[in-house]
């Protein structure tokens, strides 16, 4: 029997539906359901409603039925769809995760969806298992066994902790113009030229460039960053030798901070980052003069992330160097413009990690003696 459902809205329901339509910030399906209910309440027939709203007659019938048998919320919302039953049980999903985290079969470098599906067929009573089922279950558990991240896992010993807290305490100090803290690091850059002239972008089309390129050698960037004021300096050199580092330190003392009593330099453990580099580059008297104004502070081994200038180098690469630049002269010009504008904008690194946070988050990794005290 074809039941006729009559929609009779209360004044509150009419007001709610009209407000919903006037806002226009809902899914089109929900807005059409509101139109159907208002039209039915006004006495329009199903065919007329279907034609004016742009839906099928069965949709009008279904919305009216859901309102009469339920309420306004049920009529406006999507019905739950049961969907197909999950192919893998809870225990089988756990087995899949354990298999994906285990070593791959002999002769294979890593698990693939095909290999995992085959392994699950052998380990369970399933006669077959699709790649999509395996992929979905792995995605739910955040697993991609065919991918690996290379990571340097440091050994957190007393030396690591001492250097880490030394650097973090420097960052937390009150700024002192007489004792500035400057982070130093270097980064290589390839000089890349175009093999063919790129095609400029135009309306409806991206810029296009050839995948081939010409490699015109490399240069090195020495990047200096003041921890407590918005200043950075990038020096382009042809090499990354001890003599280049020594000249960078001389510029730091004589040009960039001529009035400072001591310049605290935060740097990593590269072999050229030492007092000996200055003696290789300058006569003993000159080397000693420069070193009297410098105080070296080293990040822990395998913890270059503690050097604030690493963040600045990432910004430099993203804002300025993420393109093909074919010669060192142009590279120097582009970097100089970037440096000048970034200094003028008074851009700074907002460092949030402190010694107290390190002790709270890394407390388990601290040496046993320091935990007991």
């Amino acid at each position: 029997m074809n039941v006729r459902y009559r929609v009779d809205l209360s004044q509150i329901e009419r007001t709610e539906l009209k407000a919903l339509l006037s806002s226009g910030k809902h899914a089109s399906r929900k807005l059409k359901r509101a139109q159907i209910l208002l039209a039915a309440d006004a006495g329009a027939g199903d065919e007329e409603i279907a034609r004016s709203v742009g839906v099928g007659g069965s949709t009008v019938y279904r919305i009216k039925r859901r309102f009469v048998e339920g309420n306004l919320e049920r009529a406006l919302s999507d019905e739950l769809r049961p969907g197909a039953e999950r192919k893998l049980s809870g225990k089988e999903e756990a087995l899949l995760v354990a298999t994906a985290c285990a070593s791959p079969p002999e002769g294979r470098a890593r698990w693939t969806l095909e290999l995992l599906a085959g392994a699950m067929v052998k380990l369970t009573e399933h006669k077959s298992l699709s790649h999509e089922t395996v992929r979905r279950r792995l995605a739910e558990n955040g697993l991609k066994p065919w991918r690996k991240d290379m990571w340097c896992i440091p050994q957190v010993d007393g030396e690591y902790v001492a250097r880490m807290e030394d650097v973090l305490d420097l960052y937390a100090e009150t700024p002192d113009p007489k004792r500035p803290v400057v982070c130093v690091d270097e980064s290589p850059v390839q000089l890349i030229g175009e093999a063919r002239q790129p095609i400029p972008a135009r309306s409806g089309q991206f810029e296009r460039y050839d995948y081939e390129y010409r490699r015109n050698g490399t240069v090195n960037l020495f990047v200096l960053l003041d921890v407590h004021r918005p200043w950075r300096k990038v020096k382009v050199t042809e090499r990354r030798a001890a003599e280049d580092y020594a000249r960078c330190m001389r510029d730091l003392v004589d040009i960039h901070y001529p009035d400072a009593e001591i310049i605290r330099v935060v740097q990593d453990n590269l072999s050229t980052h030492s007092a000996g580099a200055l003696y290789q580059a300058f006569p003993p008297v000159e080397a000693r003069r420069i070193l009297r104004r410098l105080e070296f502070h080293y990040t822990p081994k395998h913890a270059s992330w503690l050097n604030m200038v690493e963040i600045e180098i990432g910004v430099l690469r993203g804002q300025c160097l993420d393109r093909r630049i074919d010669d060192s002269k142009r590279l120097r010009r582009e970097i100089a413009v970037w440096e000048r504008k970034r200094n003028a904008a008074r851009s700074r690194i907002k460092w949030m990690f402190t010694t107290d946070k390190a002790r709270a988050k890394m407390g388990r990794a601290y040496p046993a003696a320091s935990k007991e005290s």
Side-chain angles (χ1 to χ4, degrees), residues 96-112 115-116 119 123 145 148:
L96 172 63
V97 170
T99 303
C101 293
S103 299
E106 290 186 1
R108 302 299 293 264
R110 60 188 62 84
W111 285 106
T112 64
L115 288 174
L116 285 169
L123 295 171
K148 292 183 180 180

Side-chain angles (χ1 to χ4, degrees), residues 87-88 92 95 119-128:
K87 191 74 178 285
L88 297 177
E92 290 170 341
L95 179 60
M120 290 300 294
V121 169
K122 293 179 181 178
L123 295 171
T124 63
E125 296 181 357
H126 292 285
K127 294 182 179 179
S128 65

Side-chain angles (χ1 to χ4, degrees), residues 87-294:
K87 191 74 178 285
L88 297 177
S89 66
K91 290 184 178 180
E92 290 170 341
E93 285 189 26
L95 179 60
L96 172 63
V97 170
T99 303
C101 293
S103 299
E106 290 186 1
R108 302 299 293 264
R110 60 188 62 84
W111 285 106
T112 64
L113 295 178
E114 182 181 5
L115 288 174
L116 285 169
M120 290 300 294
V121 169
K122 293 179 181 178
L123 295 171
T124 63
E125 296 181 357
H126 292 285
K127 294 182 179 179
S128 65
L129 203 62
S130 70
H131 298 172
E132 183 62 14
T133 297
V134 174
R135 186 196 66 78
R136 287 179 177 177
R137 299 295 83 79
L138 291 176
E140 288 175 0
N141 290 276
L143 282 175
K144 295 181 180 179
W146 51 89
R147 293 187 59 182
K148 292 183 180 180
D149 280 340
M150 182 175 289
W151 192 256
C152 184
I153 303 174
Q155 179 182 355
V156 181
D157 54 12
E159 182 67 18
Y160 185 103
V161 170
R163 290 189 176 190
M164 176 180 68
E165 294 198 351
D166 174 52
V167 170
L168 293 177
D169 285 349
L170 284 178
Y171 292 169
E173 280 187 5
T174 303
D176 184 356
K178 294 294 183 181
R179 295 170 56 83
V181 179
V182 179
C183 294
V184 178
D185 201 4
E186 57 257 26
S187 180
V189 174
Q190 292 193 67
L191 300 175
I192 300 297
E194 300 288 356
R196 297 174 181 82
Q197 189 65 27
I199 301 174
R202 60 186 182 187
S203 179
Q205 190 174 71
F206 296 121
E207 177 188 9
R208 290 180 290 174
Y209 61 94
D210 199 283
Y211 70 93
E212 288 189 28
Y213 59 87
R214 294 194 306 271
R215 187 173 182 273
N216 297 333
T218 61
V219 294
N220 181 69
L221 307 181
F222 281 99
V223 185
L224 291 76
L225 177 75
D226 193 307
V227 170
H228 295 126
R229 69 185 180 99
W231 176 87
R232 73 273 301 135
K233 179 66 180 177
V234 183
K235 183 176 182 179
V236 182
T237 61
E238 298 298 325
R239 305 172 306 156
R240 194 185 67 173
E243 291 80 3
D244 300 296
Y245 168 79
R247 294 187 184 94
C248 188
M249 291 297 100
R250 182 173 64 180
D251 290 347
L252 188 64
V253 167
D254 294 341
I255 299 175
H256 306 309
Y257 294 90
D259 300 325
E261 296 174 357
I262 290 291
I263 304 167
R264 274 88 60 81
V265 178
V266 177
Q267 55 192 354
D268 60 24
N269 298 271
L270 196 65
S271 59
T272 56
H273 294 173
S274 66
L278 280 86
Y279 281 91
Q280 293 182 41
F282 307 121
V285 175
E286 176 68 358
R288 195 70 236 156
R289 180 189 70 83
I290 298 169
L291 287 171
R292 285 197 181 98
R293 301 268 311 284
L294 298 175

